[in-house]
Amino acid sequence: MSITIEQAERISEAAKAKAAAIGVAMNIAIVDEGANLKSFHRMDDAWLGSVDISIKKAKTARYFDMATGEIGKLSQPGGPLYNIEHSNGGLISFPGGVLLKQDGKIVGAIGVSGGSVDQDHEVATAGAEAFTNG
Amino acid sequence: MSITIEQAERISEAAKAKAAAIGVAMNIAIVDEGANLKSFHRMDDAWLGSVDISIKKAKTARYFDMATGEIGKLSQPGGPLYNIEHSNGGLISFPGGVLLKQDGKIVGAIGVSGGSVDQDHEVATAGAEAFTNG
Amino acid sequence: MSITIEQAERISEAAKAKAAAIGVAMNIAIVDEGANLKSFHRMDDAWLGSVDISIKKAKTARYFDMATGEIGKLSQPGGPLYNIEHSNGGLISFPGGVLLKQDGKIVGAIGVSGGSVDQDHEVATAGAEAFTNG
Amino acid sequence: MSITIEQAERISEAAKAKAAAIGVAMNIAIVDEGANLKSFHRMDDAWLGSVDISIKKAKTARYFDMATGEIGKLSQPGGPLYNIEHSNGGLISFPGGVLLKQDGKIVGAIGVSGGSVDQDHEVATAGAEAFTNG
């Protein structure tokens, strides 16, 4: 059981709608159960540097099965996971990566980058909720 | 003048339709004028290793403004561009990367991977033609 | 619309003149709208390690459409973008990367490295202003 | 004794003049005695993928103190340096990288990419000869 391309497109559409509603151009990446890229969209005028960040956020969330912001709380200087970002070819540990769940089971993750981290998290959550409730 | 997300989605849809018509699950990547990723789709059951290959094909086509298969003809042992694949963090020089043109100007490229190289090229071309004629 | 080689050379000359005026040997990199390298100059006796830093500063500024020092304010321990530097093959988030604008539109960026970060920023700004006012 | 930025600029100008004369847009990179980048210019409309290739050609020439095409003769399947391109973060072993000599001593190298390998070599040689004779 993993995410289908149709599901990924529906999640991305929900995320894009939220991004448009709050007026921020976003990069939106979705990975499957195996943390492999399933889909990606860069909205017009979204930051070029956020292509890589959105993909890394989706992967980071699935790598550790938690929202990326949770990892960032643990990776600070003096924290238990200090500088974990050096692993896996580079992690992103600030908010914007959120798990995708189906019937309580993790089937992938969405990563969003392009605005403030609060906006990124809000848009990623909108995508994830459209999936869970869809 | 570069490709928009709506154009990228339309191109991807045309490519996916061709892939479905020939019965092969494909990875489809689109880059813009600056060779930066604009969109990506992995059809269900498409090869995982083709995620990276499709993206590299799209970038390679835009890097040198020609279809990827043309580069491969020149990069063989004894050829003038032997081992050019070692540049730019890794190129893919077999067919499946095709330029996207608007009013005769190059505005991006599409890379497809998942089938035989002939099938990859056929699907990429279907996407490119839908753009040119759209 | 992107930066031309003649514009890049004029910007570099202005930056070099400022660097000479303050007595510091600088590395000066310019990228275009797509964050691809357009020109680079290492002044005599400038730090070797600053070749890569100046290029990364120019790319970082264009990746997020802001001066590099602004990113560094947000990427500190406890900050919202902590360790963002792990993305995009390595970012540089201290001052010295400045956007290049033409008629209000971003067309590239300049990155400078070789002195203190204040000096780097001063020299990059001198280059950018010569472009805007040129 | 290494190459100065003024010398690098003079070499680049000679190379650009030759490129314009033969009607090809080129990427032109110059490295110093230590194989570290000294200057780089991407002419308007030159291939994006040739940024990296021109830099790698200049470095490859200086790494082994011979024109890049000479290395390519040895790196073919069955040859004594088969696949040497895997070293040093990626070499380019086809023509276009040429040594820069002063009073018979190697002080750097020039790498050119953007046309056929014969054109690349011709333009690199024009730059190198302007230096030797300058």
Side-chain angles (χ1 to χ4, degrees):
Chain A
M1 185 171 75
S2 195
I3 200 166
T4 66
I5 185 65
E6 282 177 16
Q7 290 171 325
E9 287 296 87
R10 187 156 52 78
I11 295 164
S12 295
E13 282 304 316
K16 276 196 278 190
K18 171 62 78 174
I22 65 173
V24 182
M26 294 292 194
N27 289 262
I28 301 163
I30 293 176
V31 299
D32 66 9
E33 197 179 18
N36 295 296
L37 191 63
K38 186 73 184 180
S39 72
F40 171 80
H41 299 83
R42 174 158 51 93
M43 293 171 71
D44 298 333
D45 301 319
W47 288 333
L48 294 177
S50 287
V51 174
D52 186 54
I53 291 177
S54 65
I55 295 172
K56 281 187 164 54
K57 282 183 180 176
K59 293 196 174 196
T60 298
R62 175 58 185 125
Y63 283 157
F64 303 102
D65 288 345
M66 62 182 84
T68 50
E70 298 305 306
I71 297 169
K73 293 176 186 171
L74 304 171
S75 68
Q76 301 295 319
L81 303 183
Y82 174 56
N83 266 351
I84 190 174
E85 294 85 358
H86 285 267
S87 69
N88 295 287
L91 299 177
I92 292 294
S93 59
F94 46 80
V98 170
L99 291 171
L100 298 172
K101 295 186 182 181
Q102 200 168 37
D103 301 330
K105 191 177 178 302
I106 296 167
V107 294
I110 177 172
V112 173
S113 180
S116 71
V117 293
D118 287 341
Q119 291 172 323
D120 293 351
H121 183 74
E122 182 182 2
V123 170
T125 301
E129 289 180 348
F131 178 55
T132 300
N133 304 330
Chain B
M1 184 172 72
S2 196
I3 200 166
T4 67
I5 185 64
E6 282 176 15
Q7 291 172 324
E9 287 295 88
R10 187 155 52 77
I11 295 162
S12 295
E13 282 304 317
K16 276 194 280 189
K18 172 62 79 176
I22 64 173
V24 183
M26 294 291 197
N27 288 262
I28 301 162
I30 293 176
V31 300
D32 67 10
E33 195 180 18
N36 295 297
L37 190 64
K38 187 71 183 180
S39 72
F40 171 81
H41 298 83
R42 174 158 52 91
M43 293 170 70
D44 298 333
D45 302 318
W47 289 333
L48 294 178
S50 287
V51 175
D52 186 52
I53 290 176
S54 65
I55 295 173
K56 280 188 164 57
K57 281 183 180 176
K59 292 195 175 195
T60 298
R62 175 56 184 127
Y63 281 156
F64 302 101
D65 290 346
M66 64 182 81
T68 50
E70 297 305 306
I71 297 168
K73 293 177 186 170
L74 303 170
S75 66
Q76 300 297 316
L81 304 182
Y82 175 57
N83 265 351
I84 190 175
E85 294 83 358
H86 287 267
S87 71
N88 293 286
L91 300 177
I92 293 294
S93 59
F94 46 79
V98 170
L99 290 171
L100 298 173
K101 294 186 183 181
Q102 198 168 39
D103 302 329
K105 191 179 177 302
I106 296 167
V107 295
I110 178 173
V112 173
S113 180
S116 70
V117 294
D118 287 342
Q119 290 172 324
D120 293 351
H121 182 74
E122 182 181 3
V123 169
T125 300
E129 288 179 350
F131 178 55
T132 300
N133 303 330
Chain C
M1 184 172 74
S2 197
I3 200 166
T4 66
I5 187 64
E6 282 176 18
Q7 290 171 325
E9 287 296 88
R10 188 155 52 77
I11 294 163
S12 295
E13 282 304 317
K16 276 194 280 191
K18 172 62 78 173
I22 64 173
V24 183
M26 294 293 194
N27 288 263
I28 301 162
I30 293 176
V31 299
D32 67 11
E33 196 181 18
N36 295 297
L37 191 64
K38 187 73 184 178
S39 71
F40 171 81
H41 298 83
R42 175 158 51 91
M43 294 170 69
D44 298 333
D45 302 318
W47 290 333
L48 294 178
S50 287
V51 174
D52 186 52
I53 291 176
S54 65
I55 295 172
K56 281 188 165 56
K57 281 183 180 176
K59 292 195 174 196
T60 298
R62 175 56 185 127
Y63 281 157
F64 303 100
D65 290 344
M66 64 183 80
T68 50
E70 297 306 306
I71 297 168
K73 293 176 185 172
L74 303 170
S75 67
Q76 301 297 315
L81 304 183
Y82 174 57
N83 265 352
I84 191 174
E85 294 84 359
H86 287 266
S87 71
N88 293 287
L91 300 176
I92 292 295
S93 60
F94 47 79
V98 170
L99 291 171
L100 298 173
K101 294 185 182 181
Q102 198 167 37
D103 301 331
K105 190 178 176 303
I106 296 166
V107 295
I110 178 172
V112 174
S113 180
S116 70
V117 294
D118 287 342
Q119 290 172 324
D120 293 350
H121 182 75
E122 182 182 3
V123 170
T125 300
E129 288 179 349
F131 178 54
T132 300
N133 304 330
Chain D
M1 183 173 73
S2 194
I3 200 167
T4 67
I5 186 65
E6 281 176 16
Q7 291 172 322
E9 287 296 87
R10 188 154 53 76
I11 295 164
S12 295
E13 283 304 317
K16 276 195 278 189
K18 172 60 78 174
I22 64 173
V24 182
M26 294 291 194
N27 288 262
I28 301 162
I30 294 175
V31 299
D32 66 10
E33 196 180 20
N36 296 296
L37 191 64
K38 186 73 183 179
S39 71
F40 171 81
H41 298 84
R42 174 157 52 92
M43 293 171 71
D44 298 332
D45 301 318
W47 288 333
L48 294 177
S50 287
V51 175
D52 186 53
I53 291 177
S54 65
I55 295 172
K56 280 187 165 55
K57 281 183 180 175
K59 292 195 174 197
T60 298
R62 175 57 185 126
Y63 283 157
F64 302 101
D65 288 345
M66 63 183 82
T68 50
E70 298 306 305
I71 297 168
K73 293 177 186 171
L74 304 172
S75 67
Q76 300 295 318
L81 304 184
Y82 175 56
N83 266 351
I84 190 175
E85 294 85 357
H86 285 268
S87 69
N88 294 286
L91 299 178
I92 291 294
S93 59
F94 46 80
V98 171
L99 291 171
L100 298 172
K101 295 185 182 181
Q102 200 168 37
D103 302 329
K105 191 178 176 304
I106 296 167
V107 295
I110 177 173
V112 173
S113 180
S116 70
V117 294
D118 287 342
Q119 290 172 324
D120 293 351
H121 183 74
E122 181 182 3
V123 169
T125 301
E129 288 179 350
F131 178 55
T132 300
N133 304 330

